[in-house]
Amino acid sequence: MSPGAGAPGTVLLAGIVGSTAYGFAHAGSDVDRLGLFATPTEELHGLDRPAESYVTTAPDLTLHEAAKWCRLALNCNPTASELVWLPDDLYETRTPLGAELVAIRSTFLSAPAVRRAYLGYADQQFRKLLTRDTAEPAARRRAAKHARHLVRLTEQAVRLHETGRHLIRLPDPERVRELGERIADRPDSAEPLLAAAAERLSRPGVLPDAPDRRPAEAWLRRVRAAHYRPPA
């Protein structure tokens, strides 16, 4: 199934995300895909709003409508934001409008949103670790997955805050995997990691205090103009 198959509009940008993108994938890992699409503009003029997301698990694919994706990215949603920071070889669809979005990716970033979103997601992973019974092998594997993502999120947050760059493909995934295994066995060992990330994110960084919404607004208006077909 291609990223555009079954989408309720024109897919502008799509690629492979998740464990494959980070370098965590192993034989048998699912391949997760993420993208964004443009609803035909005339469908936005009626009484009922069209769906803003399309999700399927066969295969694992999530597509967000262009406006929804922009709102998520302006809040630095870690999952949605990955789409515009992928290595080139992981894109499966990149239209001219999609390439324009990649070109303005830094304008979506802000220090408070990175701190809130990334540390918030990392804390969610930590709480899952604290409540998970790891006696069963399947539960132990899920705990290790939560722990890996906790490590990844904290390190990505610090890198974004200090460099303004989002590194999706981790340079040392095995180190993160091994650290995740240790944290899965002793969840409380993640507390210093979370505290250190919070401390570094409290220092001055390179990101602005608020995102620049103007490029996203201009881009979205170009999307709407390009996808308007007047009714016959």
Side-chain angles (χ1 to χ4, degrees):
M1 179 178 179
S2 69
T10 302
V11 175
L12 305 178
L13 191 66
I16 296 172
V17 294
S19 60
T20 301
Y22 310 140
F24 295 153
H26 54 79
S29 291
D30 293 332
V31 177
D32 300 311
R33 289 177 166 86
L34 175 68
L36 63 87
F37 66 93
T39 291
T41 303
E42 59 273 18
E43 293 186 14
L44 300 172
H45 296 170
L47 290 174
D48 298 319
R49 299 287 296 181
E52 287 197 306
S53 294
Y54 171 82
V55 180
T56 179
T57 56
D60 292 318
L61 169 67
T62 298
L63 297 172
H64 296 302
E65 209 283 320
K68 179 177 181 179
W69 185 90
C70 286
R71 293 195 298 271
L72 291 170
L74 286 166
N75 285 306
C76 293
N77 176 283
T79 304
S81 297
E82 288 182 5
L83 181 60
V84 290
W85 293 92
L86 294 176
D88 286 344
D89 61 294
L90 293 181
Y91 284 111
E92 296 181 311
T93 300
R94 181 160 50 175
T95 66
L97 281 166
E100 287 182 28
L101 190 63
V102 172
I104 62 170
R105 60 192 181 184
S106 294
T107 64
F108 289 90
L109 299 173
S110 65
V114 165
R115 183 166 55 247
R116 181 174 58 251
Y118 281 77
L119 290 188
Y121 270 57
D123 189 62
Q124 286 180 18
Q125 302 302 314
F126 181 56
R127 292 181 185 280
K128 289 176 181 177
L129 283 170
L130 293 177
T131 58
R132 188 171 296 285
D133 180 0
T134 58
E136 294 295 325
R140 175 60 175 71
R141 288 193 296 272
R142 286 192 292 273
K145 181 177 180 179
H146 294 320
R148 286 195 299 274
H149 288 305
L150 184 155
V151 175
R152 171 184 63 81
L153 287 160
T154 55
E155 294 188 357
Q156 286 178 331
V158 170
R159 188 178 293 110
L160 270 170
H161 182 73
E162 295 179 347
T163 71
R165 304 289 297 176
H166 194 355
L167 188 63
I168 301 296
R169 181 172 283 151
L170 303 177
D172 49 1
E174 283 307 311
R175 178 190 63 82
V176 176
R177 183 184 295 279
E178 291 171 5
L179 181 55
E181 293 292 334
R182 293 200 297 271
I183 292 173
D185 290 330
R186 290 189 55 243
D188 61 329
S189 65
E191 291 179 352
L193 187 68
L194 291 166
E199 193 278 328
R200 290 177 69 174
L201 290 170
S202 70
R203 304 175 195 170
V206 302
L207 299 181
D209 290 334
D212 183 354
R213 296 170 59 93
R214 294 169 298 178
E217 180 72 25
W219 176 82
L220 190 57
R221 289 179 181 272
R222 290 195 296 276
V223 169
R224 298 304 184 220
H227 292 85
Y228 179 61
R229 301 291 183 270

